C-alpha cells in the first residue's frame, strides 16, 4: 500500500474570508497516482481548496498534510511543500520578462539548486514533453493562450512535482485552444502524474478521472467514480448542476 | 524684416523630417537664448579666468555629493518600499513615518537640521557629510513611493507563480518583481536624479564649496555676479543633460528587451 499511500490529506478544513465561510469541513484524500477532478458551480470554493493545498491561501481550521508535511505558519514547511506541489494557473502567470526557456529554468536554478550546466537540457526535455521545443527563444507575450498554458505546464514539470494542481487551466482560453491544453493534460495523466484538477471540461473528467468531486458553497457534496457520478448522481444539487452544464 | 525671416524659417523647417526639425529648432532656441545672455554685456575674460576653478573645485564637489546620494537613495528606497508594503506593523510604521517626515520638510531645512542639529547631540559633523546625509534621506523618501508604486503595479499572479514554485520573498523580489517593475521605475527615478543633482546646490548654505557656492562667492569681490551665475547655470544644465542621456539609453535598453 505504501506505493499508493496518501499524498494529500485534508481533515475538517475550514477557511473564512472575513465573515464569509469559503470552505466547510473539507475531508478529502488524494493517493499517489490519483487523478481527481473537482467541479461545481462558481463561488463553490474550488479554487480556494486547490490553493490552500500549497498555502497560497492559508486555512484557519483543520489539518492539511501534503507529502507528510503539515501546513501551518512555519514558512519553512510551506516552502518544502511548494517544492513538491506544482500549481497551474487559470491565467498562466508566466514571467513576461523572460523567454520561454528562461521561464522553465528559474525554478530548477534558484530553488532546486540544479547545476547550471544541466538546466537547459532539463528545460528542453519538458518543453518537448508539451510538444513545444521550437519556441524556446520567444517571449510569453508572443504566444497564444494555449501555447502559454502549455509552457506553464512545462515550467511546473521542471520542478519534478509529486502532485500537480490545476486551477481552471482552460477557463481563460479561446475555445479552439482548449483541446491542445486538454491533450497535454491527458498525456500527463497517462504518464502517471498525480493530478488534482479544478476544471469545467466534463469530457476530460469522464476520460481521465479516477474520482470526481462535486463542491457547492464551500462543501464537498458528493465524491464518486466518474461513471457513477455522471450516470447516477446521488445528491439533488449534483443533479441540478449536471443538468445545467450537460444541457447544451 | 524679422517677421518675414521668422515665417520663412517656420515654412522651411516644416518641409524637413521629424529628426531634422527637432535638431534645428533646438539649435535655434539655444542660439536665441545665448544671444539673450550675450546682451548682458558679460565680461568673458573674467569668466575664462574663473571657469577652471569652478569646474575643478565646484563641479567636482557637486558630482561627488550627488553621486554618493544617487547611489544611496535607491537602496533606501527599496528597503522603504518593501517595508511599506509589508504586513509587519513595525516596518510599515517606520517606513511611512520616514517618508512622511522627509517628504514633509523642505530639503533646505533638513540640511540645516542635520548640520546644526547633530552637534547638539554631541556628534559634530562636517559640512560635506551633512550634505551627503541629507540628500539621500530626502530623495530616498520620494523614491520609496516610486518604488512602491512600481512593485504594486506587478500583477498578483506573478507573486503567486513565484511563491508556488517555492521562491522565497527575496528571490521573488529579485527575479520576478523588480526586473518587471524597473521599466516603470526608471523614468521617474531619472527625474529624481536630475532634481537631486540640482538640489545638491542647497548644501552651499552650510559652506560646501560646490558649484552654487562658488557661483555666489567668486563674483562677490568685483560685483561680477551675473557672469558667475550664468556660467554655473550652463554647467548645471550640461550635467543634467548627461543624466537625461543616460536615462534615455537605459529606457531604450528596456524597450528593446521586451519585444
Amino acid at each position: 500500500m505504501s506505493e499508493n499511500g496518501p499524498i494529500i490529506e485534508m481533515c475538517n478544513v475550514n477557511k473564512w474570508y472575513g465573515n464569509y465561510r469559503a470552505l466547510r469541513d473539507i475531508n478529502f484524500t488524494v493517493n499517489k497516482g490519483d487523478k481527481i477532478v473537482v467541479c461545481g458551480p462558481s463561488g463553490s470554493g474550488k479554487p480556494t481548496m486547490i490553493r490552500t493545498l500549497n498555502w497560497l491561501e492559508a486555512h484557519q481550521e483543520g489539518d492539511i498534510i501534503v507529502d507528510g508535511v503539515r501546513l501551518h505558519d512555519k514558512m519553512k514547511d510551506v516552502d518544502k511543500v511548494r517544492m513538491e506541489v506544482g500549481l497551474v494557473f487559470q491565467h498562466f502567470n508566466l514571467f513576461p520578462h523572460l523567454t520561454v526557456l528562461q521561464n522553465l529554468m528559474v525554478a530548477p536554478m534558484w530553488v532546486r539548486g540544479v547545476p547550471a550546466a544541466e538546466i537547459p537540457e532539463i528545460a528542453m526535455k519538458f518543453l518537448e514533453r508539451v510538444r513545444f521545443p521550437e519556441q524556446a527563444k520567444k517571449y510569453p507575450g508572443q504566444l497564444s493562450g494555449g501555447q502559454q498554458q502549455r509552457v506553464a505546464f512545462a515550467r511546473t514539470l521542471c520542478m519534478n512535482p509529486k502532485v500537480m494542481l490545476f486551477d481552471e487551466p482552460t477557463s481563460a482560453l479561446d475555445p479552439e485552444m482548449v483541446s491542445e491544453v486538454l491533450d497535454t493534460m491527458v498525456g500527463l495523466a497517462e504518464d502517471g502524474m498525480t493530478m488534482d484538477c479544478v476544471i469545467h471540461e466534463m469530457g476530460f473528467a469522464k476520460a481521465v478521472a479516477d474520482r470526481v468531486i462535486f463542491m457547492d458553497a464551500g462543501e464537498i457534496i458528493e465524491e464518486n467514480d466518474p461513471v457513477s457520478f455522471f450516470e447516477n448522481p446521488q445528491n439533488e444539487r449534483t443533479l441540478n448542476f449536471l443538468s445545467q452544464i450537460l444541457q447544451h | 524684416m524679422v517677421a518675414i525671416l521668422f515665417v520663412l524659417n517656420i515654412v522651411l523647417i516644416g518641409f524637413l523630417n521629424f529628426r531634422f526639425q527637432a535638431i534645428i529648432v533646438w539649435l535655434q532656441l539655444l542660439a536665441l537664448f545665448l544671444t539673450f545672455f550675450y546682451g548682458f554685456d558679460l565680461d568673458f575674460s573674467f569668466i575664462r579666468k574663473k571657469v577652471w576653478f569652478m569646474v575643478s573645485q565646484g563641479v567636482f564637489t557637486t558630482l561627488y555629493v550627488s553621486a554618493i546620494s544617487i547611489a544611496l537613495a535607491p537602496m533606501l528606497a527599496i528597503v522603504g518600499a518593501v517595508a511599506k508594503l509589508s504586513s509587519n506593523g513595525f516596518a510599515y510604521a517606520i517606513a511611512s513615518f520616514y517618508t512622511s517626515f522627509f517628504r514633509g520638510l523642505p530639503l533646505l531645512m533638513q540640511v540645516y537640521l542635520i548640520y546644526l542639529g547633530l552637534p547638539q547631540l554631541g556628534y559634530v559633523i562636517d559640512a560635506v557629510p551633512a550634505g551627503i546625509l541629507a540628500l539621500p534621506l530626502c530623495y530616498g523618501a520620494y523614491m520609496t513611493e516610486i518604488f512602491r508604486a512600481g512593485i504594486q503595479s506587478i500583477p498578483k499572479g506573478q507573486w503567486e507563480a513565484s511563491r508556488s514554485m517555492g521562491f522565497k520573498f527575496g528571490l521573488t523580489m529579485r527575479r520576478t518583481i523588480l526586473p518587471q517593475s524597473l521599466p516603470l521605475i526608471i523614468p521617474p527615478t531619472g527625474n529624481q536624479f536630475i532634481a537631486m543633482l540640482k538640489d545638491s546646490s542647497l548644501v552651499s548654505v552650510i559652506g560646501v564649496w560646490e558649484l552654487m557656492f562658488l557661483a555666489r562667492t567668486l563674483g562677490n569681490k568685483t560685483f561680477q555676479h551675473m557672469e558667475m551665475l550664468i556660467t554655473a547655470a550652463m554647467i548645471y544644465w550640461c550635467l543634467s543633460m548627461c543624466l537625461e542621456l543616460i536615462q534615455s539609453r537605459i529606457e531604450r535598453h528596456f524597450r528593446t528587451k521586451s519585444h
Side-chain angles (χ1 to χ4, degrees), chain B:
Chain B
M1 185 61 193
V2 175
I4 293 171
L5 272 179
F6 182 72
V7 171
L8 200 64
N9 182 34
I10 289 181
V11 171
L12 281 178
I13 293 174
F15 283 113
L16 297 169
N17 67 17
F18 174 83
R19 203 182 155 76
F20 283 106
Q21 274 179 348
I23 292 173
I24 289 180
V25 172
W26 239 91
L27 291 177
Q28 285 180 344
L29 287 175
L30 187 67
L32 270 178
F33 194 61
L34 291 178
T35 331
F36 171 67
F37 280 151
Y38 201 70
F40 287 10
D41 194 19
L42 301 173
D43 180 353
F44 285 99
S45 64
F46 180 73
I47 291 181
R48 265 196 298 278
K49 211 164 63 195
K50 298 286 185 190
V51 76
W52 174 239
F53 182 62
M54 253 183 146
V55 171
S56 63
Q57 170 66 37
V59 172
F60 176 77
T61 314
T62 293
L63 283 182
Y64 166 64
V65 171
S66 320
I68 295 182
S69 308
I70 282 174
L72 291 179
M75 294 182 204
L76 271 176
I78 285 195
V79 175
V82 169
K84 231 179 156 175
L85 293 170
S86 125
S87 52
N88 182 318
F90 289 102
Y92 174 81
I94 293 170
S96 54
F97 185 86
Y98 162 66
T99 52
S100 167
F101 183 82
F102 281 95
R103 291 200 302 168
L105 298 193
L107 178 55
L108 184 58
M109 190 174 288
Q110 293 172 30
V111 173
Y112 274 131
L113 281 180
I114 289 173
Y115 186 56
L116 304 174
L118 282 183
Q120 305 281 328
L121 302 173
Y123 303 102
V124 177
I125 189 165
D126 278 343
V128 173
I132 289 176
L133 203 57
L135 273 175
L137 276 175
C138 178
Y139 276 91
Y142 286 106
M143 283 163 61
T144 293
E145 295 298 312
I146 294 174
F147 278 57
R148 180 189 56 77
I151 290 169
Q152 273 183 320
S153 69
I154 305 305
K156 204 169 137 237
Q158 293 290 316
W159 282 99
E160 291 180 346
S162 308
R163 298 313 293 268
S164 75
M165 291 193 297
F167 279 33
K168 296 190 171 47
F169 177 84
L171 193 61
T172 308
M173 209 62 180
R174 271 206 324 279
R175 296 283 151 195
T176 309
I177 304 302
L178 282 181
Q180 289 184 60
S181 44
L182 270 187
L184 302 163
I185 288 174
I186 282 167
T189 302
N191 253 351
Q192 295 291 306
F193 285 167
I194 290 173
M196 206 184 313
L197 177 81
K198 292 178 298 166
D199 276 355
S200 70
S201 63
L202 288 176
V203 302
S204 66
V205 298
I206 52 176
V208 178
W209 279 36
E210 47 69 76
L211 200 47
M212 188 66 202
F213 182 83
L214 295 181
R216 280 194 300 124
T217 50
L218 283 180
N220 262 353
K221 243 180 279 172
T222 46
F223 297 102
Q224 283 164 314
H225 299 291
M226 222 46 214
E227 278 84 351
M228 289 296 95
L229 285 178
I230 289 172
T231 313
M234 290 294 125
I235 295 175
Y236 271 121
W237 193 8
C238 289
L239 294 178
S240 303
M241 279 199 283
C242 293
L243 284 181
E244 270 176 48
L245 213 67
I246 295 171
Q247 181 193 337
S248 70
R249 278 287 157 81
I250 298 177
E251 276 180 44
R252 203 186 317 156
H253 169 77
F254 277 107
R255 256 203 306 279
T256 50
K257 209 178 148 197
S258 58
H259 322 308

Side-chain angles (χ1 to χ4, degrees), chain A:
Chain A
M1 271 312 276
S2 67
E3 188 90 323
N4 297 325
I7 188 148
I8 297 175
E9 290 168 276
M10 295 178 99
C11 298
N12 298 316
V13 172
N14 282 290
K15 175 171 178 58
W16 287 266
Y17 292 112
N19 287 327
Y20 175 73
R21 195 169 177 187
L23 295 179
R24 281 168 199 270
D25 298 323
I26 300 281
N27 283 295
F28 159 64
T29 309
V30 180
N31 292 316
K32 280 175 195 156
D34 278 359
K35 286 103 185 99
I36 314 276
V37 166
V38 182
C39 61
S42 64
S44 60
K46 301 160 290 172
T48 309
M49 187 181 85
I50 285 280
R51 284 154 162 267
T52 52
L53 291 178
N54 70 357
W55 247 44
L56 279 185
E57 310 271 1
H59 69 292
Q60 280 105 17
E61 261 182 40
D63 286 323
I64 301 178
I65 299 166
V66 180
D67 194 28
V69 180
R70 200 169 72 87
L71 287 170
H72 59 132
D73 281 337
K74 215 189 235 162
M75 280 315 283
K76 219 171 143 190
D77 288 346
V78 173
D79 281 332
K80 213 187 289 173
V81 167
R82 285 175 177 171
M83 283 170 71
E84 307 303 335
V85 176
L87 176 57
V88 173
F89 298 88
Q90 182 178 4
H91 296 285
F92 336 130
N93 295 348
L94 293 175
F95 303 131
H97 60 300
L98 301 175
T99 63
V100 166
L101 195 64
Q102 288 169 331
N103 261 282
L104 268 63
M105 286 161 50
V106 278
M109 179 143 24
W110 300 108
V111 181
R112 280 266 190 244
V114 178
E118 297 171 21
I119 292 174
E121 200 183 324
I122 297 174
M124 284 310 289
K125 186 179 97 191
F126 286 111
L127 266 189
E128 271 156 33
R129 185 150 168 203
V130 297
R131 297 185 311 275
F132 209 59
E134 67 280 1
Q135 316 271 27
K137 293 257 150 47
K138 285 195 175 169
Y139 284 93
Q142 298 165 297
L143 306 177
S144 73
Q147 292 171 326
Q148 288 192 45
Q149 192 59 291
R150 276 153 60 199
V151 173
F153 284 9
R155 178 176 71 174
T156 310
L157 287 169
C158 276
M159 283 292 282
N160 260 326
K162 292 182 178 159
V163 195
M164 274 179 85
L165 311 173
F166 295 84
D167 182 4
E168 310 200 6
T170 55
S171 304
L173 298 174
D174 290 337
E176 74 270 20
M177 291 165 185
V178 170
S179 67
E180 67 175 88
V181 168
L182 286 181
D183 286 348
T184 314
M185 287 178 72
V186 172
L188 287 174
E190 284 166 355
D191 290 348
M193 177 61 76
T194 310
M195 294 160 79
D196 188 358
C197 326
V198 173
I199 197 163
H200 295 296
E201 316 298 330
M202 290 304 129
F204 174 80
K206 281 177 189 164
V208 172
D210 300 317
R211 274 182 294 151
V212 181
I213 287 171
F214 176 73
M215 285 182 77
D216 192 15
E219 271 180 296
I220 292 180
I221 305 291
E222 192 164 345
E223 179 173 350
N224 219 330
D225 63 276
V227 177
S228 327
F229 181 84
F230 288 108
E231 304 294 324
N232 186 21
Q234 302 298 310
N235 193 292
E236 200 179 330
R237 278 192 273 181
T238 319
L239 200 63
N240 263 336
F241 174 73
L242 286 177
S243 68
Q244 270 166 11
I245 58 163
L246 298 178
Q247 238 162 30
H248 50 83

